[in-house]
Amino acid sequence: MKRIKTFPYLLLQVISLFFLIMLLPTACKETENNKAPSIAGYYKIESLYADRQVDLNNDGNVSTDVMEEVSRNRFNRQYNFDSPSAYMEIRPTKHNHTTHQYLYVPFPDPRLTFEYTDSPNGAVTYLRNELNGIGYKYSYDEKNKLIYIDRTDVEEKNEEFWGQLVDMKVIEKDRLELLVSKNYYDFVTASWIRLQLTAIYVRVED
């Protein structure tokens, strides 16, 4: 015998449906808030220039082109600007599904040694380390295309040691300009100096 649905049962169904409809706008809003910013993804460094001429590879020549100085280092065996591991990562990405907006900026990090007998005035190897050691939180204004670096939890000593991301901006679609402050060893002056660097990054396929 077919069961007849009672009024309380039907009322419960109506109430459940009502609450489900009420929750839909909230769910949609949360999905929208967690959506990755349009700038999220991977970026390859295209150019990197210093604010002064330096000799970063001990070849006797000075230049403002830091990519050339680092790439022509005869002791360099580890740093490769074209490697995916050297790409800047603006999270969230499809490989990192976190809802947190985070910047990871690998940068050539100098390690000076005087162990080589054929280079008594020193030799440098460039490793790959993140600016600020662990990167930065950020937010992005889609309407005005402005990137804001969150320095709330940033410690000055980390930026001093690993390098500081001073500013970051969109210059055109899929191209970003970064201003970086970082210590490098200049073989002309035989001293560590704080360079102010301008880097251009271009988006690459994930």
Side-chain angles (χ1 to χ4, degrees):
M1 186 175 177
K2 193 172 181 180
R3 215 168 178 186
I4 300 175
K5 294 181 179 179
T6 62
F7 177 76
Y9 176 83
L10 293 173
L11 181 61
L12 182 62
Q13 293 292 88
V14 171
I15 292 173
S16 298
L17 182 61
F18 173 77
F19 277 108
L20 180 61
I21 293 172
M22 291 292 290
L23 287 172
L24 277 175
T26 303
C28 292
K29 187 175 182 180
E30 287 180 357
T31 302
E32 184 178 340
N33 289 340
N34 292 335
K35 182 180 177 183
S38 60
I39 61 166
Y42 299 91
Y43 292 77
K44 177 182 176 180
I45 191 167
E46 186 177 70
S47 65
L48 180 61
Y49 286 93
D51 60 336
R52 69 189 83 176
Q53 292 193 333
V54 286
D55 179 7
L56 303 183
N57 56 10
N58 197 19
D59 66 352
N61 299 315
V62 295
S63 172
T64 58
D65 190 337
V66 174
M67 285 184 71
E68 183 178 12
E69 287 288 320
V70 171
S71 299
R72 290 190 177 184
N73 175 24
R74 64 192 177 101
F75 293 98
N76 182 24
R77 298 289 185 273
Q78 293 142 307
Y79 203 89
N80 180 4
F81 286 102
D82 294 322
S83 170
S85 61
Y87 292 168
M88 175 174 64
E89 183 178 343
I90 304 181
R91 291 183 179 180
T93 66
K94 69 179 184 181
H95 298 111
N96 294 283
H97 303 290
T98 175
T99 57
H100 299 298
Q101 296 181 354
Y102 221 87
L103 296 169
Y104 290 93
V105 192
F107 227 71
D109 196 55
R111 294 292 185 271
L112 185 66
T113 179
F114 293 92
E115 295 178 356
Y116 297 100
T117 56
D118 59 341
S119 185
N121 62 331
V124 65
T125 296
Y126 289 96
L127 305 182
R128 186 169 43 250
N129 293 101
E130 308 287 344
L131 295 180
N132 189 42
I134 57 173
Y136 295 87
K137 295 177 184 177
Y138 79 97
S139 60
Y140 183 58
D141 181 343
E142 294 282 353
K143 181 180 179 181
N144 298 303
K145 300 187 183 307
L146 297 175
I147 303 169
Y148 299 98
I149 303 169
D150 184 354
R151 302 186 185 278
T152 306
D153 302 320
V154 173
E155 295 186 23
E156 185 177 339
K157 63 179 181 180
N158 288 337
E159 289 190 316
E160 178 65 27
F161 187 80
W162 297 111
Q164 177 188 17
L165 177 56
V166 178
D167 193 21
M168 183 175 180
K169 63 183 178 182
V170 178
I171 53 176
E172 60 183 63
K173 189 179 186 307
D174 297 332
R175 289 169 66 87
L176 305 174
E177 180 184 271
L178 277 66
L179 299 182
V180 174
S181 177
K182 186 171 173 62
N183 292 322
Y184 284 92
Y185 188 81
D186 176 29
F187 286 94
V188 170
T189 60
S191 64
W192 290 92
I193 57 176
R194 191 77 172 181
L195 292 181
Q196 307 305 314
L197 305 142
T198 301
I200 302 298
Y201 282 79
V202 59
R203 189 195 294 269
V204 295
E205 293 297 325
D206 295 352

